[in-house]
Amino acid sequence: MNHSTPSLNEDRVSQTPALQFLQVLGYTYLTPQEALELRGSRHSNVILDRVLEDQLRKINRIEFRGESHAFSEANIQAAVQALKSEPFDGLVRTNEKLYDLLCLGKAMQQSIYGDIKSFTLNYIDWEHPENNVFHVTEEFVVERTGSRETRRPDIVLFVNGIPFVVIECKSPAAKSVYNDDPIDQAISQHLRNQHADEIPRLFLYAQLLLALSGNEARYGTVGTPLKFWSVWKEDIDEAELQALVDRALRVRVPRLRGSRPEASAPGMSAVHGTSVKVTRQPPPDGRALTEEPGEYGLSTRLPTAQDRTLFALCRPERLLQLTRRFVLFDAGEKKIARYQQYFCVKTIMERIRRRDAAGRRQGGVVWHTQGSGKS
């Protein structure tokens, strides 16, 4: 039995197309080595320290008596440590504490002209998504608890250097090789990696987990049992999605020696029957999306379920909205909204805001059928 086949196909059918598409959505690609350097070259650290520190300085200002001041470097470092040193109290419970910290920020005392006050330092600019930075990397090596052994989630998405999304990719061919559903395999990897003796530290910060397999995709969050992983359904503008897919086919994904299997001949990667030139990108600081303008005979392809799910859940503004407004912790469980609940809440809020000429609001109910989003 050749166990290398699924790995190769995962790269061609799921992982590489996901990396390309995520760059088009606004994520800056980091090679595994770049990501490792940004986290202090330590596999036990899952936060991109340098990115986080820079963003804390950028998005936070103290407004006091009509003047704007920067937070002290001591407060910046204290905020980073607060995020990294939360005592482990079970995965979901610790995730909840860190979720509150991410959503509410941390109060910091600082002296301004001799007057010591408490000011809130935020990790994410929730109101202005464009002020945050979004990165994507692959084969993210994380050291297991109490061990030198490691695990390598396929793709990790970062917001301001904090790992928000963990993605496992599988090839449809994996079913014939391992006699198991590819999506179930991906979810099982997520569940295994959350165990206390695995890499739970990565999932302390995660808000969204995805299992991808080309024409199939499901999502959950930390602690979600396999049976509750869901499909997201949404009416997406087909022309917009097709344009994004066409752009994605032109995005370069570097191949580093030892990073992951080559999909084809050196320097080229076969993606859905399309050749994409593989070229080293410039350093991550301030770099723009790198595209090849069709000079390599790129063809088009139809959007997949994977593309639709990434667009619906992972484009930056939607990811921040889902995290801040559609996640809750209930009786020791973390829950993220299903698509019916998401669109039901959006419709309710639109109706609440709408008033007639007399200032009156229209009443209404949620349709009382199974799956309508009542819960």
Side-chain angles (χ1 to χ4, degrees):
M1 182 179 295
N2 182 2
H3 281 209
S4 65
T5 302
S7 178
L8 178 62
N9 287 340
E10 286 162 20
D11 184 55
R12 296 175 60 186
V13 176
S14 182
Q15 189 166 333
T16 294
L19 290 167
Q20 293 174 303
F21 194 73
L22 286 162
Q23 289 184 73
V24 170
L25 292 182
Y27 291 84
T28 298
Y29 178 83
L30 298 174
T31 67
Q33 183 58 37
E34 288 169 343
L36 183 59
E37 291 170 0
L38 289 171
R39 51 184 172 137
S41 299
R42 290 181 292 121
H43 290 138
S44 59
N45 179 26
V46 300
I47 291 177
L48 309 181
D49 293 330
R50 283 163 46 194
V51 175
L52 177 58
E53 291 169 8
D54 287 347
Q55 281 300 109
L56 292 182
R57 297 184 189 102
K58 173 186 172 183
I59 68 175
N60 288 285
R61 300 290 297 178
I62 295 172
E63 303 300 329
F64 186 68
R65 294 180 179 175
E67 295 184 355
S68 181
H69 305 267
F71 275 90
S72 68
E73 191 59 28
N75 275 335
I76 296 294
Q77 296 303 320
V80 173
Q81 285 307 307
L83 197 63
K84 299 174 71 171
S85 60
E86 181 66 40
F88 187 78
D89 184 23
L91 179 56
V92 175
R93 177 61 182 149
T94 309
N95 183 283
E96 180 178 4
K97 293 177 181 177
L98 290 169
Y99 175 85
D100 289 342
L101 187 61
L102 292 174
C103 287
L104 302 176
K106 184 169 180 61
M108 294 290 187
Q109 286 193 337
Q110 187 158 322
S111 175
I112 306 293
Y113 300 136
D115 194 354
I116 298 178
K117 297 284 186 182
S118 183
F119 304 95
T120 299
L121 186 149
N122 293 302
Y123 295 91
I124 309 291
D125 189 338
W126 299 102
E127 301 298 334
H128 305 93
E130 68 278 5
N131 288 340
N132 305 290
V133 293
F134 301 84
H135 290 91
V136 56
T137 193
E138 59 181 321
E139 304 297 337
F140 190 69
V141 179
V142 181
E143 205 169 75
R144 292 179 60 187
T145 303
S147 171
R148 290 295 183 183
E149 294 181 3
T150 60
R151 297 294 188 191
R152 294 195 308 178
D154 290 328
I155 298 175
V156 178
L157 307 185
F158 298 84
V159 181
N160 294 345
I162 304 165
F164 261 51
V165 184
V166 184
I167 302 173
E168 293 291 351
C169 302
K170 292 294 175 186
S171 166
K175 185 168 186 176
S176 60
V177 174
Y178 296 121
N179 196 30
D180 194 9
D181 181 78
I183 289 292
D184 286 353
Q185 287 183 45
I187 296 172
S188 294
Q189 280 187 230
H190 277 298
L191 297 178
R192 178 203 66 188
N193 287 342
Q194 294 175 55
H195 292 168
D197 62 345
E198 290 287 343
I199 55 171
R201 62 169 58 89
L202 176 62
F203 296 88
L204 292 178
Y205 308 94
Q207 308 304 322
L208 180 66
L209 309 179
L210 292 176
L212 305 179
S213 182
N215 278 316
E216 190 176 359
R218 279 192 269 167
Y219 74 101
T221 190
V222 173
T224 303
L226 187 151
K227 66 179 180 179
F228 291 124
W229 282 63
S230 302
V231 173
W232 184 277
K233 298 179 182 180
E234 180 174 351
D235 291 330
I236 299 172
D237 183 275
E238 290 299 322
E240 179 183 6
L241 190 61
Q242 184 65 65
L244 291 171
V245 168
D246 290 345
R247 283 191 64 200
L249 287 171
R250 292 164 169 77
V251 174
R252 296 178 249 169
V253 180
R255 294 299 193 281
L256 299 185
R257 189 181 302 276
S259 168
R260 55 193 165 97
E262 294 293 341
S264 58
M268 302 295 288
S269 166
V271 182
H272 293 277
T274 301
S275 294
V276 180
K277 184 173 174 88
V278 173
T279 310
R280 184 71 178 88
Q281 287 189 13
D285 297 335
R287 106 182 127 196
L289 176 69
T290 54
E291 295 187 41
E292 292 298 336
E295 60 183 292
Y296 300 103
L298 299 175
S299 61
T300 188
R301 65 170 174 83
L302 294 176
T304 63
Q306 174 173 300
D307 298 318
R308 296 176 188 281
T309 301
L310 290 172
F311 179 81
L313 300 179
C314 293
R315 65 186 190 271
E317 64 276 13
R318 176 66 67 80
L319 176 61
L320 294 188
Q321 184 185 63
L322 283 170
T323 298
R324 191 184 189 193
R325 302 297 187 191
F326 293 90
V327 166
L328 62 84
F329 293 83
D330 178 32
E333 295 182 347
K334 183 174 186 177
K335 300 177 180 179
I336 188 167
R338 295 189 178 186
Y339 71 93
Q340 305 99 315
Q341 297 162 335
Y342 173 84
F343 290 110
C344 179
V345 170
K346 296 281 284 183
T347 302
I348 290 171
M349 295 306 297
E350 289 173 6
R351 179 165 292 204
I352 289 173
R353 295 189 184 102
R354 193 182 308 128
R355 295 176 181 269
D356 62 20
R360 294 171 300 197
R361 283 195 289 253
Q362 183 180 11
V365 296
V366 176
W367 194 261
H368 283 220
T369 59
Q370 183 176 358
S372 67
K374 301 186 299 297
S375 59

